[in-house]
Amino acid sequence: MRWIGIIRILVIVFTLLSTWFFVEKIFSSKWEASSLHSLFEKEVKRDTIPEKKHRKCGNDKECPQNYFAFKVISGAANVVGPSICLEDKILMSNVRNNIGRGLNIALVNASTTRLIKTGHFDMYSGDVKDVQKFLAGMKEGTLIFIASFDDPATKLDDKTRDLFTSYGSSYAKKLGFRDSWTFVGGKGLKNKSPFEQHIKNDKENNKYDGWPEVLEISGCIPKKMD
Ligand SMILES: *[C@@H]1O[C@H](CO)[C@@H](O)[C@H](O)[C@H]1NC(C)=O
């Protein structure tokens, strides 16, 4: 009887040891395999694929001389904040900590790309007068970048919508509760801006439950020549 007991214990110990050995072997060989794999991949990339060129604001196309590269991304639902990039500089973003629910607006000198100011305006429970104050005194030759986040429109009045329209917007008049909107315009533009996107908040077609999908516009803005 004592022998049987000892043998049982030996069998259990042996099973445990071999399981441990086996598991350890698998994990370490997997790890080695994957690190070898990534080394190999790096090697291959370096040899055959030319390094992806960094373009300003991460855009696909390079801008010609006397054009400014930009990218404007609207917020995602009420979760991920919007961002505005110009000439590879992030003017507004979550990381810069200068965005918020509603309208996110950056004003830029159209000759130099120098940032004049940024502001974010809660259009669900804020005061639209703050937007008007922000825009007051805007000179000709100022670019305006706008990205929506969550709700850009509940408090928007006709006066402010008309201002945006005068900067070249086609959709400011129709903007509604929780629509997605990205826009680049300017004071003194003679035509409608080509840099604008808008999606209506529509329960049937929303990407997220209560919100349409994220909008992204990018491209090249001609420098203002004096
Ligand atoms: C842009 O900058 C130039 C050069 O500093 C200046 O003369 C011009 O008034 C500025 N324009 C705006 C709209 O701020």
Side-chain angles (χ1 to χ4, degrees):
M1 287 312 274
R2 254 178 72 198
W3 278 111
I4 290 175
I6 287 167
I7 286 169
R8 259 193 200 146
I9 287 166
L10 281 177
V11 165
I12 286 166
V13 167
F14 177 78
T15 310
L16 282 175
L17 275 176
S18 55
T19 307
W20 174 79
F21 178 78
F22 189 66
V23 166
E24 213 240 11
K25 192 84 186 150
I26 283 180
F27 275 98
S28 61
S29 65
K30 250 192 189 159
W31 186 81
E32 269 164 39
S34 69
S35 63
L36 261 182
H37 184 64
S38 60
L39 259 180
F40 182 68
E41 264 190 346
K42 260 183 216 146
E43 226 40 70
V44 168
K45 269 185 194 140
R46 201 174 299 142
D47 283 351
T48 59
I49 305 164
E51 222 165 273
K52 194 168 180 271
K53 204 164 168 219
H54 175 80
R55 302 233 159 75
K56 287 173 180 171
C57 296
N59 290 349
D60 294 336
K61 286 193 191 124
E62 196 117 33
C63 291
Q65 231 193 345
N66 294 321
Y67 281 77
F68 303 137
F70 78 94
K71 180 177 280 177
V72 179
I73 305 171
S74 70
N78 60 347
V79 180
V80 182
S83 72
I84 297 174
C85 173
L86 179 65
E87 284 289 275
D88 230 15
K89 282 197 297 261
I90 306 293
L91 305 182
M92 301 186 79
S93 75
N94 200 24
V95 171
R96 294 213 51 176
N97 198 25
N98 60 356
I99 54 147
R101 177 168 83 170
L103 292 173
N104 292 267
I105 309 180
L107 300 185
V108 170
N109 184 316
S111 317
T112 63
T113 71
R114 222 186 28 235
L115 180 67
I116 298 166
K117 58 180 171 177
T118 67
H120 55 90
F121 306 93
D122 187 335
M123 289 292 98
Y124 187 72
S125 57
D127 187 349
V128 74
K129 292 244 162 31
D130 292 337
V131 182
Q132 292 160 9
K133 272 184 219 151
F134 181 83
L135 300 174
M138 200 171 140
K139 293 195 287 183
E140 286 228 348
T142 305
L143 290 173
I144 182 167
F145 295 78
I146 306 182
S148 65
F149 185 20
D150 189 356
D151 174 24
T154 298
K155 290 282 176 95
L156 266 192
D157 58 0
D158 287 342
K159 185 179 166 186
T160 314
R161 290 173 191 270
D162 287 348
L163 273 176
F164 292 149
T165 305
S166 78
Y167 305 147
S169 168
S170 309
Y171 299 112
K173 278 188 202 310
K174 305 173 230 171
L175 213 57
F177 173 64
R178 286 186 178 172
D179 289 357
S180 286
W181 186 41
T182 49
F183 170 62
V184 182
K187 184 151 178 175
L189 282 192
K190 293 185 181 64
N191 302 308
K192 288 288 170 219
S193 167
F195 304 124
E196 183 172 23
Q197 286 189 335
H198 171 245
I199 311 184
K200 276 248 155 273
N201 167 19
D202 168 15
K203 262 206 182 95
E204 300 299 309
N205 298 309
N206 277 348
K207 167 144 183 192
Y208 310 104
D209 248 356
W211 296 266
E213 66 185 299
V214 171
L215 290 176
E216 178 178 315
I217 52 173
S218 61
C220 307
I221 303 169
K223 184 175 178 171
K224 184 174 181 293
M225 308 285 198
D226 291 309

